[in-house]
Amino acid sequence: MRNATRPFGRTLAAMITPFTPSGELDVPGTAALARHLVDEQGCEGLVVNGTTGESPTTTDAEKTQVLETVLEAVGDRAHIIAGASTYDTRHSVRLAQDAEKAGAHGLLLVTPYYNKPTQAGVVAHFTAIADAADLPVMLYDIPPRSVIGIEEETFQRLAEHTRIISVKDATGDLAKAQRVRAATGLAFYCGVDELNLAAYATGQVGIVSVVAHLIGKHLNAMFDAYDDGDTAKASEINDRLLPAVTALMGRGPGVIAVKAGLAGQGVPAGEPRLPLLPADDALAADIATALADLKEA
């Protein structure tokens, strides 16, 4: 059994994909955002081409361009993980191989969605992708989006693969995460921003965060306090972050809110692609207020 170290760092951002006003990929904006996340927000890793990166609406060529752009911008000082899976195993294998050729440091593989495979099919799917590229793998368990989850016995089977080393846990089930972590040694990263501190306190090694785009420095301060044994300070920071986290994650897909929050700060973001719509004025105002209040606190 492996030790659950931090294979991709502690604070990772689930990075959005910036678009131009005409809806095309904003390559300079992508590089600028990557630098902002690493240099200003203190992210040790970036996950590109995931759900928050609007992967369902970007082409394979765009995914490669995003990855190459981020690697060139910050790949020497951050872990760059590429989302590389869909509900089609053969397509996912090609995405993983493309990511490896581009120089990705790891792969994020989500449970097949929509077609609802059996758990045996889930194992076969992940195994085929992990076999196809010589990169460490982070599994992504998110039943609210994929419909099916990864069962505990399935995790135990998958953990036998030498390249499957970690999990982005977006189930919200901290008890299950503890059981799987103890049984497999997989490194768990929290994928539910509302639970970041609770997950960390129960043995998860870090986060793959949407809100890190805007409050990454605060999240690092919270984790530093916890690591230093000052749990009261960590809890106090967590409480102060709650209004911002709620504004960013409580009213629809996080990418919509984050793009609005970044735009309000002059950081490249653009609007999401259909079928997602931009934040309305009320949400944008609430986000701006929550971030301003946090800055003044």
Side-chain angles (χ1 to χ4, degrees), residues 150-265:
I150 307 174
E151 295 180 0
E152 294 181 37
E153 295 79 6
T154 303
F155 273 120
Q156 293 184 34
R157 293 177 62 187
L158 290 166
E160 296 173 1
H161 197 293
T162 56
R163 285 195 281 276
I164 296 175
I165 63 171
S166 64
V167 178
K168 178 184 176 182
D169 177 30
T171 66
D173 188 343
L174 296 181
K176 175 188 173 184
Q178 290 180 79
R179 291 192 298 269
V180 173
R181 180 177 54 78
T184 65
L186 293 168
F188 268 67
Y189 286 81
C190 182
V192 180
D193 275 311
E194 295 87 341
L195 297 178
N196 283 335
L197 181 57
Y200 198 68
T202 54
Q204 298 197 27
V205 300
I207 58 175
V208 179
S209 168
V210 177
V211 303
H213 284 85
L214 294 154
I215 59 172
K217 291 184 294 185
H218 300 278
L219 293 169
N220 279 325
M222 179 179 73
F223 294 136
D224 286 343
Y226 189 89
D227 287 346
D228 290 341
D230 193 344
T231 57
K233 181 179 179 180
S235 181
E236 186 271 331
I237 295 172
N238 186 61
D239 289 346
R240 282 197 288 114
L241 294 179
L242 184 59
V245 173
T246 300
L248 291 166
M249 301 302 296
R251 288 157 60 181
V255 59
I256 294 172
V258 163
K259 284 197 166 187
L262 290 172
Q265 297 183 352

Side-chain angles (χ1 to χ4, degrees), residues 128-150:
I129 305 169
D131 285 344
D134 189 17
L135 290 173
V137 168
M138 177 185 288
L139 301 177
Y140 186 11
D141 192 13
I142 183 166
R145 289 184 182 268
S146 62
V147 181
I148 60 168
I150 307 174

Side-chain angles (χ1 to χ4, degrees), residues 60 63 84-96 98:
D60 290 0
K63 289 177 174 64
S85 61
T86 69
Y87 47 43
D88 175 357
T89 304
R90 290 185 298 175
H91 184 199
S92 302
V93 164
R94 292 194 299 271
L95 289 174
D98 289 346

